Coordinates of all heavy atoms in Angstrom, one line a residue:
M1 N -2.2 -7.3 -7.6 CA -2.7 -6.8 -6.3 C -1.8 -7.4 -5.2 O -1.5 -8.6 -5.2 CB -4.2 -7.2 -6.1 CG -4.9 -6.6 -4.9 SD -5.1 -4.9 -4.8 CE -5.8 -4.4 -6.3
P2 N -1.4 -6.5 -4.3 CA -0.5 -7.0 -3.2 C -1.2 -8.0 -2.3 O -2.4 -8.0 -2.2 CB -0.1 -5.8 -2.4 CG -1.0 -4.7 -2.9 CD -1.7 -5.1 -4.2
L3 N -0.4 -8.9 -1.7 CA -1.0 -9.9 -0.8 C -1.2 -9.4 0.6 O -1.9 -10.1 1.4 CB -0.1 -11.1 -0.8 CG 0.1 -11.8 -2.1 CD1 1.1 -13.0 -2.0 CD2 -1.3 -12.4 -2.6
D4 N -0.7 -8.2 0.9 CA -0.9 -7.7 2.3 C -2.1 -6.8 2.5 O -2.1 -5.7 3.0 CB 0.4 -6.9 2.7 CG 0.7 -5.8 1.8 OD1 0.2 -5.7 0.7 OD2 1.5 -4.9 2.2
L5 N -3.2 -7.2 1.9 CA -4.5 -6.5 2.0 C -5.0 -6.5 3.5 O -4.8 -7.5 4.2 CB -5.5 -7.0 1.1 CG -5.2 -7.0 -0.4 CD1 -6.2 -7.6 -1.2 CD2 -5.0 -5.5 -0.9
I6 N -5.7 -5.5 3.9 CA -6.3 -5.5 5.2 C -7.8 -5.3 5.1 O -8.3 -4.8 4.1 CB -5.7 -4.3 6.1 CG1 -5.9 -3.0 5.5 CG2 -4.2 -4.6 6.3 CD1 -5.4 -1.8 6.3
S7 N -8.5 -5.6 6.1 CA -10.0 -5.4 6.1 C -10.3 -4.0 6.3 O -9.5 -3.1 6.7 CB -10.6 -6.2 7.3 OG -10.2 -5.6 8.5
V8 N -11.5 -3.6 5.9 CA -12.0 -2.2 6.0 C -12.0 -1.9 7.5 O -11.6 -0.8 7.9 CB -13.4 -2.1 5.4 CG1 -14.0 -0.7 5.8 CG2 -13.4 -2.2 3.9
K9 N -12.4 -2.8 8.4 CA -12.4 -2.5 9.8 C -11.0 -2.2 10.3 O -10.8 -1.2 11.1 CB -12.9 -3.7 10.6 CG -13.0 -3.5 12.1 CD -13.5 -4.6 12.9 CE -13.6 -4.3 14.3 NZ -13.9 -5.3 15.2
E10 N -10.0 -2.9 9.9 CA -8.6 -2.7 10.3 C -8.2 -1.3 9.7 O -7.5 -0.6 10.4 CB -7.7 -3.8 9.8 CG -6.3 -3.6 10.3 CD -5.4 -4.8 9.9 OE1 -5.9 -5.8 9.4 OE2 -4.2 -4.7 10.1
A11 N -8.6 -1.0 8.5 CA -8.2 0.3 7.9 C -8.8 1.4 8.7 O -8.2 2.5 8.9 CB -8.7 0.3 6.5
T12 N -10.1 1.3 9.1 CA -10.7 2.4 9.9 C -10.0 2.6 11.2 O -9.8 3.7 11.6 CB -12.2 2.1 10.2 OG1 -12.3 0.9 11.0 CG2 -13.0 1.9 9.0
E13 N -9.6 1.5 11.9 CA -8.8 1.6 13.1 C -7.4 2.2 13.0 O -7.0 3.0 13.8 CB -8.8 0.2 13.8 CG -10.1 -0.3 14.2 CD -10.1 -1.8 14.6 OE1 -9.0 -2.4 14.4 OE2 -11.1 -2.3 15.0
T14 N -6.8 1.9 11.9 CA -5.4 2.4 11.6 C -5.4 3.8 11.1 O -4.5 4.6 11.5 CB -4.7 1.4 10.6 OG1 -4.8 0.1 11.1 CG2 -3.3 1.8 10.4
Y15 N -6.3 4.1 10.2 CA -6.2 5.4 9.4 C -7.2 6.4 9.8 O -7.1 7.6 9.4 CB -6.2 5.1 7.9 CG -5.1 4.3 7.5 CD1 -5.2 2.9 7.3 CD2 -3.8 4.8 7.3 CE1 -4.2 2.1 6.9 CE2 -2.7 4.0 7.0 CZ -2.9 2.7 6.8 OH -1.9 1.8 6.4
G16 N -8.2 6.1 10.6 CA -9.2 7.0 11.1 C -10.3 7.4 10.2 O -11.1 8.2 10.6
Y17 N -10.4 6.8 9.1 CA -11.5 7.0 8.2 C -12.7 6.1 8.6 O -12.5 5.1 9.1 CB -11.2 6.7 6.7 CG -10.2 7.6 6.1 CD1 -8.9 7.2 5.7 CD2 -10.5 9.0 5.9 CE1 -8.0 8.0 5.1 CE2 -9.5 9.8 5.3 CZ -8.3 9.3 4.9 OH -7.4 10.1 4.3
S18 N -13.9 6.5 8.3 CA -15.1 5.7 8.5 C -15.1 4.5 7.5 O -14.5 4.6 6.4 CB -16.4 6.4 8.5 OG -16.7 6.8 7.1
G19 N -15.7 3.4 7.9 CA -15.8 2.3 7.0 C -16.5 2.7 5.7 O -16.1 2.2 4.6
S20 N -17.6 3.5 5.8 CA -18.4 3.8 4.6 C -17.5 4.7 3.7 O -17.6 4.6 2.4 CB -19.7 4.5 4.9 OG -19.4 5.7 5.7
H21 N -16.7 5.6 4.2 CA -15.8 6.4 3.4 C -14.8 5.6 2.7 O -14.5 5.8 1.5 CB -15.1 7.5 4.3 CG -14.3 8.4 3.5 ND1 -14.8 9.3 2.6 CD2 -12.9 8.7 3.5 CE1 -13.9 10.0 2.0 NE2 -12.7 9.7 2.6
I22 N -14.2 4.6 3.4 CA -13.2 3.7 2.7 C -13.9 2.9 1.6 O -13.3 2.8 0.5 CB -12.6 2.8 3.8 CG1 -11.7 3.6 4.7 CG2 -11.7 1.7 3.1 CD1 -11.1 2.9 5.9
R23 N -15.1 2.4 1.9 CA -15.8 1.6 0.8 C -16.1 2.5 -0.4 O -16.0 2.1 -1.5 CB -17.0 0.9 1.4 CG -16.7 -0.3 2.3 CD -17.9 -1.0 2.7 NE -18.7 -0.3 3.7 CZ -18.4 -0.3 5.0 NH1 -17.4 -1.0 5.5 NH2 -19.2 0.4 5.8
N24 N -16.5 3.8 -0.1 CA -16.7 4.7 -1.2 C -15.5 5.0 -2.0 O -15.5 5.0 -3.3 CB -17.3 6.0 -0.7 CG -18.7 6.0 -0.3 OD1 -19.5 5.1 -0.8 ND2 -19.1 6.8 0.6
L25 N -14.3 5.2 -1.4 CA -13.1 5.4 -2.1 C -12.7 4.2 -2.9 O -12.3 4.3 -4.0 CB -12.0 5.7 -1.1 CG -12.0 7.0 -0.3 CD1 -10.9 7.0 0.8 CD2 -11.9 8.2 -1.2
L26 N -13.0 3.0 -2.4 CA -12.7 1.7 -3.1 C -13.6 1.6 -4.3 O -13.2 1.4 -5.4 CB -12.9 0.5 -2.2 CG -11.8 0.3 -1.2 CD1 -12.4 -0.6 -0.1 CD2 -10.6 -0.3 -1.8
A27 N -14.9 1.9 -4.1 CA -15.9 1.8 -5.2 C -15.6 2.8 -6.4 O -15.8 2.5 -7.5 CB -17.3 2.0 -4.7
K28 N -15.1 4.0 -6.0 CA -14.8 5.0 -7.0 C -13.4 4.8 -7.6 O -13.0 5.5 -8.5 CB -14.8 6.4 -6.3 CG -16.2 6.8 -5.9 CD -16.2 8.2 -5.2 CE -17.5 8.6 -4.8 NZ -17.5 9.9 -4.1
G29 N -12.6 3.8 -7.1 CA -11.3 3.6 -7.6 C -10.2 4.6 -7.1 O -9.2 4.7 -7.7
M30 N -10.5 5.3 -6.1 CA -9.6 6.3 -5.6 C -8.5 5.7 -4.7 O -7.4 6.2 -4.5 CB -10.3 7.4 -4.8 CG -11.3 8.1 -5.7 SD -12.2 9.4 -4.8 CE -10.9 10.6 -4.6
I31 N -8.8 4.5 -4.2 CA -7.8 3.7 -3.5 C -7.9 2.3 -4.0 O -9.0 1.9 -4.6 CB -7.9 3.7 -2.0 CG1 -9.2 3.1 -1.5 CG2 -7.6 5.1 -1.4 CD1 -9.4 3.0 0.0
E32 N -6.9 1.5 -3.9 CA -6.9 0.1 -4.4 C -7.3 -0.9 -3.4 O -7.1 -0.7 -2.2 CB -5.5 -0.2 -4.9 CG -5.1 0.6 -6.1 CD -3.7 0.2 -6.6 OE1 -3.2 -0.9 -6.4 OE2 -3.1 1.1 -7.3
G33 N -7.9 -1.9 -3.8 CA -8.4 -3.0 -3.0 C -9.0 -4.0 -3.8 O -9.0 -4.0 -5.1
E34 N -9.6 -5.0 -3.2 CA -10.2 -6.1 -3.9 C -11.5 -6.5 -3.1 O -11.5 -6.6 -1.9 CB -9.2 -7.2 -3.9 CG -9.5 -8.3 -5.0 CD -8.4 -9.2 -5.2 OE1 -7.2 -8.8 -5.2 OE2 -8.6 -10.4 -5.3
K35 N -12.5 -6.8 -3.9 CA -13.7 -7.3 -3.2 C -13.8 -8.8 -3.4 O -13.8 -9.3 -4.6 CB -14.9 -6.7 -3.9 CG -16.2 -6.8 -3.1 CD -17.3 -5.9 -3.6 CE -18.4 -5.7 -2.7 NZ -19.5 -4.8 -3.2
I36 N -13.7 -9.5 -2.3 CA -13.7 -11.0 -2.3 C -14.9 -11.5 -1.6 O -15.1 -11.2 -0.4 CB -12.4 -11.6 -1.7 CG1 -11.2 -11.1 -2.5 CG2 -12.4 -13.1 -1.7 CD1 -9.9 -11.4 -1.9
A37 N -15.8 -12.2 -2.2 CA -17.0 -12.8 -1.6 C -17.8 -11.7 -1.0 O -18.3 -11.9 0.1 CB -16.6 -13.9 -0.6
G38 N -17.9 -10.5 -1.6 CA -18.7 -9.4 -1.1 C -18.1 -8.6 0.0 O -18.7 -7.7 0.5
V39 N -16.8 -8.9 0.3 CA -16.1 -8.1 1.4 C -14.9 -7.4 0.8 O -14.1 -8.0 0.1 CB -15.6 -9.1 2.4 CG1 -14.8 -8.4 3.5 CG2 -16.8 -9.9 3.0
W40 N -14.8 -6.1 1.0 CA -13.7 -5.3 0.6 C -12.5 -5.5 1.4 O -12.6 -5.5 2.6 CB -14.1 -3.8 0.6 CG -14.8 -3.3 -0.5 CD1 -16.2 -2.9 -0.5 CD2 -14.4 -3.1 -1.9 NE1 -16.5 -2.4 -1.8 CE2 -15.4 -2.6 -2.6 CE3 -13.2 -3.3 -2.5 CZ2 -15.3 -2.2 -4.0 CZ3 -13.1 -3.0 -3.9 CH2 -14.1 -2.5 -4.6
L41 N -11.4 -5.7 0.7 CA -10.1 -5.7 1.4 C -9.3 -4.5 0.8 O -9.3 -4.2 -0.4 CB -9.3 -7.0 1.1 CG -10.0 -8.2 1.7 CD1 -9.3 -9.5 1.3 CD2 -10.1 -8.1 3.2
V42 N -8.5 -3.8 1.6 CA -7.9 -2.6 1.2 C -6.4 -2.8 1.1 O -5.7 -3.4 2.0 CB -8.2 -1.5 2.3 CG1 -7.6 -0.2 1.9 CG2 -9.7 -1.4 2.6
D43 N -5.8 -2.1 0.1 CA -4.3 -2.0 0.0 C -3.9 -0.9 0.9 O -4.2 0.3 0.6 CB -3.9 -1.8 -1.4 CG -2.4 -1.6 -1.6 OD1 -1.7 -1.7 -0.6 OD2 -2.0 -1.3 -2.8
P44 N -3.2 -1.2 2.0 CA -2.8 -0.1 3.0 C -1.9 0.9 2.3 O -2.0 2.1 2.7 CB -2.1 -0.8 4.1 CG -1.8 -2.2 3.6 CD -2.7 -2.5 2.5
N45 N -1.0 0.5 1.4 CA -0.1 1.5 0.7 C -1.0 2.5 -0.1 O -0.6 3.7 -0.1 CB 0.9 0.8 -0.2 CG 1.8 -0.1 0.6 OD1 2.2 0.2 1.7 ND2 2.2 -1.2 0.0
S46 N -2.0 2.0 -0.7 CA -2.8 2.9 -1.5 C -3.6 3.9 -0.6 O -3.7 5.1 -0.9 CB -3.8 2.1 -2.3 OG -4.7 2.9 -3.0
L47 N -4.0 3.4 0.5 CA -4.7 4.3 1.5 C -3.8 5.3 2.1 O -4.2 6.5 2.2 CB -5.4 3.4 2.6 CG -6.3 4.1 3.5 CD1 -7.4 4.9 2.8 CD2 -7.0 3.2 4.5
E48 N -2.6 4.9 2.3 CA -1.6 5.9 2.8 C -1.3 7.0 1.8 O -1.1 8.1 2.1 CB -0.3 5.2 3.2 CG -0.4 4.4 4.5 CD 0.8 3.5 4.8 OE1 1.8 3.7 4.2 OE2 0.7 2.7 5.7
E49 N -1.2 6.5 0.5 CA -0.9 7.5 -0.6 C -2.1 8.5 -0.7 O -1.9 9.7 -0.9 CB -0.7 6.8 -1.9 CG 0.6 6.0 -1.9 CD 0.7 5.1 -3.1 OE1 -0.2 5.1 -4.0 OE2 1.7 4.3 -3.2
H50 N -3.3 8.0 -0.6 CA -4.5 8.8 -0.6 C -4.5 9.8 0.5 O -4.7 11.0 0.3 CB -5.8 8.0 -0.6 CG -7.0 8.8 -0.5 ND1 -7.6 9.4 -1.5 CD2 -7.8 9.0 0.6 CE1 -8.7 10.1 -1.1 NE2 -8.8 9.8 0.2
Q51 N -4.2 9.3 1.7 CA -4.2 10.2 2.9 C -3.1 11.3 2.7 O -3.4 12.5 3.0 CB -3.9 9.3 4.1 CG -4.1 10.0 5.4 CD -4.0 9.0 6.6 OE1 -3.2 8.2 6.6 NE2 -4.9 9.2 7.5
A52 N -1.9 11.0 2.2 CA -0.9 11.9 2.0 C -1.3 13.0 0.9 O -1.1 14.2 1.1 CB 0.4 11.2 1.5
R53 N -2.0 12.5 -0.1 CA -2.5 13.5 -1.2 C -3.5 14.4 -0.5 O -3.5 15.6 -0.8 CB -3.2 12.7 -2.3 CG -2.4 12.3 -3.5 CD -3.2 11.9 -4.7 NE -4.3 10.9 -4.4 CZ -4.2 9.6 -4.3 NH1 -3.0 9.0 -4.4 NH2 -5.2 8.9 -4.0
M54 N -4.4 13.9 0.3 CA -5.4 14.8 0.9 C -4.8 15.8 1.9 O -5.2 17.0 1.9 CB -6.5 14.0 1.7 CG -7.3 13.1 0.8 SD -8.2 14.0 -0.5 CE -7.3 13.7 -2.0
E55 N -3.7 15.4 2.6 CA -3.0 16.3 3.5 C -2.3 17.4 2.7 O -2.3 18.6 3.1 CB -2.0 15.5 4.4 CG -2.7 14.7 5.4 CD -1.8 13.8 6.2 OE1 -0.5 14.0 6.0 OE2 -2.2 13.0 7.0
R56 N -1.7 17.0 1.5 CA -1.1 18.0 0.7 C -2.1 19.0 0.1 O -1.8 20.2 0.0 CB -0.3 17.4 -0.5 CG 1.0 16.8 -0.1 CD 1.8 16.4 -1.3 NE 1.2 15.6 -2.3 CZ 1.1 14.2 -2.2 NH1 1.7 13.6 -1.2 NH2 0.5 13.5 -3.1
L57 N -3.2 18.6 -0.2 CA -4.3 19.5 -0.8 C -4.9 20.4 0.3 O -5.3 21.5 -0.1 CB -5.4 18.6 -1.5 CG -5.0 18.0 -2.8 CD1 -6.1 17.1 -3.2 CD2 -4.7 19.0 -3.8
G58 N -4.9 19.9 1.5 CA -5.5 20.7 2.6 C -7.0 21.1 2.2 O -7.7 20.3 1.8
N59 N -7.3 22.4 2.4 CA -8.7 22.9 2.1 C -9.0 22.8 0.7 O -10.2 22.9 0.3 CB -8.8 24.3 2.7 CG -8.9 24.3 4.2 OD1 -9.2 23.3 4.8 ND2 -8.6 25.4 4.8
K60 N -8.0 22.8 -0.2 CA -8.3 22.8 -1.6 C -8.9 21.5 -2.1 O -9.5 21.5 -3.2 CB -7.0 23.0 -2.4 CG -6.3 24.3 -2.2 CD -5.0 24.4 -3.0 CE -4.3 25.7 -2.6 NZ -3.0 25.8 -3.3
K61 N -8.9 20.5 -1.3 CA -9.5 19.2 -1.7 C -11.0 19.3 -1.8 O -11.6 18.5 -2.5 CB -9.1 18.1 -0.8 CG -9.6 18.2 0.6 CD -9.1 17.1 1.5 CE -9.5 17.4 3.0 NZ -8.6 16.9 3.9
H62 N -11.6 20.3 -1.2 CA -13.0 20.4 -1.2 C -13.5 21.4 -2.3 O -14.7 21.5 -2.5 CB -13.6 20.9 0.1 CG -13.3 19.9 1.2 ND1 -13.9 18.6 1.2 CD2 -12.5 19.9 2.3 CE1 -13.5 18.0 2.3 NE2 -12.6 18.7 2.9
G63 N -12.6 22.1 -2.9 CA -13.0 23.0 -4.0 C -13.3 24.4 -3.4 O -13.3 24.6 -2.2
T64 N -13.7 25.3 -4.2 CA -14.0 26.7 -3.8 C -15.3 26.8 -3.1 O -15.5 27.8 -2.3 CB -14.0 27.6 -5.0 OG1 -14.9 27.1 -5.9 CG2 -12.6 27.7 -5.7
W65 N -16.2 25.8 -3.2 CA -17.5 25.9 -2.5 C -17.4 25.7 -1.1 O -18.2 26.0 -0.3 CB -18.5 24.9 -3.2 CG -18.0 23.5 -3.1 CD1 -17.3 22.9 -4.1 CD2 -18.1 22.6 -2.0 NE1 -17.0 21.6 -3.7 CE2 -17.4 21.4 -2.4 CE3 -18.7 22.7 -0.8 CZ2 -17.4 20.3 -1.6 CZ3 -18.6 21.5 0.0 CH2 -18.0 20.4 -0.4
A66 N -16.3 25.0 -0.6 CA -16.1 24.7 0.8 C -15.4 25.8 1.5 O -14.2 25.9 1.5 CB -15.4 23.4 0.9
K67 N -16.2 26.6 2.2 CA -15.6 27.7 2.9 C -15.9 27.5 4.4 O -16.9 26.8 4.8 CB -16.1 29.0 2.5 CG -15.8 29.4 1.0 CD -16.3 30.7 0.6 CE -16.0 31.0 -0.8 NZ -16.5 32.3 -1.2
T68 N -15.1 28.1 5.2 CA -15.4 28.0 6.7 C -16.6 28.8 7.0 O -17.0 29.7 6.3 CB -14.2 28.5 7.5 OG1 -14.1 29.9 7.3 CG2 -12.9 27.7 7.2
S69 N -17.2 28.5 8.1 CA -18.4 29.2 8.5 C -18.1 30.6 8.8 O -18.9 31.5 8.6 CB -19.1 28.5 9.7 OG -18.2 28.4 10.8
A70 N -16.9 30.9 9.3 CA -16.5 32.3 9.5 C -16.4 33.1 8.2 O -16.9 34.2 8.1 CB -15.1 32.3 10.2
D71 N -15.9 32.5 7.1 CA -15.9 33.1 5.8 C -17.3 33.4 5.3 O -17.5 34.5 4.8 CB -15.1 32.2 4.8 CG -13.7 32.1 5.1 OD1 -13.1 32.9 5.8 OD2 -13.1 31.1 4.5
K72 N -18.2 32.4 5.5 CA -19.5 32.6 5.0 C -20.2 33.7 5.8 O -20.9 34.5 5.2 CB -20.3 31.3 5.1 CG -19.9 30.2 4.2 CD -20.6 29.0 4.4 CE -20.1 27.9 3.5 NZ -20.8 26.6 3.7
G73 N -20.0 33.8 7.1 CA -20.6 34.8 7.9 C -20.1 36.2 7.5 O -20.8 37.2 7.5
A74 N -18.8 36.3 7.2 CA -18.2 37.6 6.8 C -18.8 38.0 5.5 O -19.1 39.2 5.3 CB -16.7 37.5 6.7
E75 N -19.0 37.1 4.6 CA -19.6 37.4 3.3 C -21.1 37.9 3.5 O -21.5 38.9 2.8 CB -19.6 36.2 2.3 CG -18.2 35.9 1.8 CD -18.2 34.7 0.9 OE1 -19.3 34.2 0.6 OE2 -17.2 34.3 0.4
L76 N -21.8 37.3 4.3 CA -23.2 37.7 4.6 C -23.2 39.1 5.2 O -24.0 39.9 4.8 CB -23.9 36.7 5.5 CG -24.2 35.3 4.9 CD1 -24.8 34.4 6.0 CD2 -25.2 35.5 3.8
A77 N -22.3 39.3 6.1 CA -22.3 40.6 6.8 C -21.9 41.7 5.8 O -22.5 42.8 5.8 CB -21.3 40.6 7.9
E78 N -21.0 41.4 4.9 CA -20.6 42.4 3.9 C -21.7 42.7 2.8 O -21.9 43.8 2.4 CB -19.3 41.9 3.1 CG -18.1 42.0 4.0 CD -16.9 41.3 3.3 OE1 -17.0 40.9 2.1 OE2 -15.9 41.2 3.9
S79 N -22.5 41.6 2.5 CA -23.4 41.8 1.4 C -24.8 42.4 1.9 O -25.5 42.9 1.1 CB -23.7 40.4 0.8 OG -24.4 39.6 1.7
S80 N -25.0 42.4 3.2 CA -26.3 43.0 3.7 C -26.0 44.3 4.3 O -25.0 44.6 4.9 CB -26.9 42.1 4.7 OG -26.0 41.7 5.7
S81 N -26.9 45.2 3.9 CA -26.9 46.6 4.5 C -28.2 46.9 5.1 O -29.2 46.2 4.8 CB -26.5 47.6 3.4 OG -27.5 47.6 2.4
P82 N -28.4 47.9 5.9 CA -29.7 48.2 6.5 C -30.8 48.4 5.5 O -31.9 48.0 5.8 CB -29.4 49.5 7.3 CG -27.9 49.6 7.5 CD -27.3 48.8 6.4
G83 N -30.5 48.9 4.3 CA -31.6 49.0 3.3 C -32.0 47.7 2.8 O -33.1 47.6 2.2
D84 N -31.3 46.6 3.0 CA -31.6 45.3 2.5 C -32.6 44.6 3.4 O -33.2 43.6 3.0 CB -30.4 44.4 2.3 CG -29.4 44.9 1.3 OD1 -29.9 45.7 0.4 OD2 -28.2 44.5 1.3
L85 N -32.8 45.0 4.6 CA -33.7 44.4 5.5 C -35.1 44.7 5.2 O -35.5 45.8 4.9 CB -33.3 44.8 7.0 CG -31.9 44.4 7.4 CD1 -31.7 45.0 8.8 CD2 -31.7 42.9 7.4
P86 N -36.0 43.7 5.4 CA -37.4 44.0 5.2 C -38.0 44.9 6.2 O -37.5 44.9 7.4 CB -38.1 42.6 5.3 CG -37.1 41.7 5.9 CD -35.7 42.3 5.7
A87 N -39.0 45.7 5.9 CA -39.6 46.6 6.8 C -40.6 46.0 7.7 O -41.1 45.0 7.5 CB -40.2 47.8 6.0

């Protein structure tokens, strides 16, 4: 583990993620860090790599279930016809 670890607070200020999101990424092993005396320390290189991966994936990072509200509205409009409305 690198010696240039940063605190979760510093990571939130530098990279714009919330502290809980960073701790979740650490707990899931998606970014590297170390828990010392109950406090997470983050490898900034690992966090930068994660951020770059997410930027490359764009909307695909959320899967097919994550659609914009405009897409969902268009689907609803297409699927409903006047005969579908209750009387």
Side-chain angles (χ1 to χ4, degrees):
M1 187 62 53
L3 296 177
D4 59 344
L5 299 175
I6 60 174
S7 69
V8 170
K9 181 179 180 190
E10 186 177 349
T12 63
E13 294 167 355
T14 304
Y15 299 99
Y17 293 116
S18 71
S20 61
H21 184 64
I22 292 172
R23 285 186 289 278
N24 283 336
L25 293 173
L26 287 161
K28 291 178 181 178
M30 297 180 76
I31 61 173
E32 294 180 21
E34 198 169 320
K35 198 169 191 178
I36 300 173
V39 177
W40 276 110
L41 297 175
V42 183
D43 175 2
N45 295 327
S46 177
L47 189 52
E48 288 172 11
E49 290 169 5
H50 172 78
Q51 195 170 40
R53 267 192 317 274
M54 294 302 103
E55 287 174 8
R56 279 193 308 274
L57 287 172
N59 289 337
K60 294 178 187 176
K61 66 184 170 210
H62 297 293
T64 57
W65 58 267
K67 296 182 179 180
T68 65
S69 58
D71 291 341
K72 290 177 184 176
E75 285 179 4
L76 288 174
E78 290 173 5
S79 66
S80 50
S81 64
D84 294 340
L85 298 176

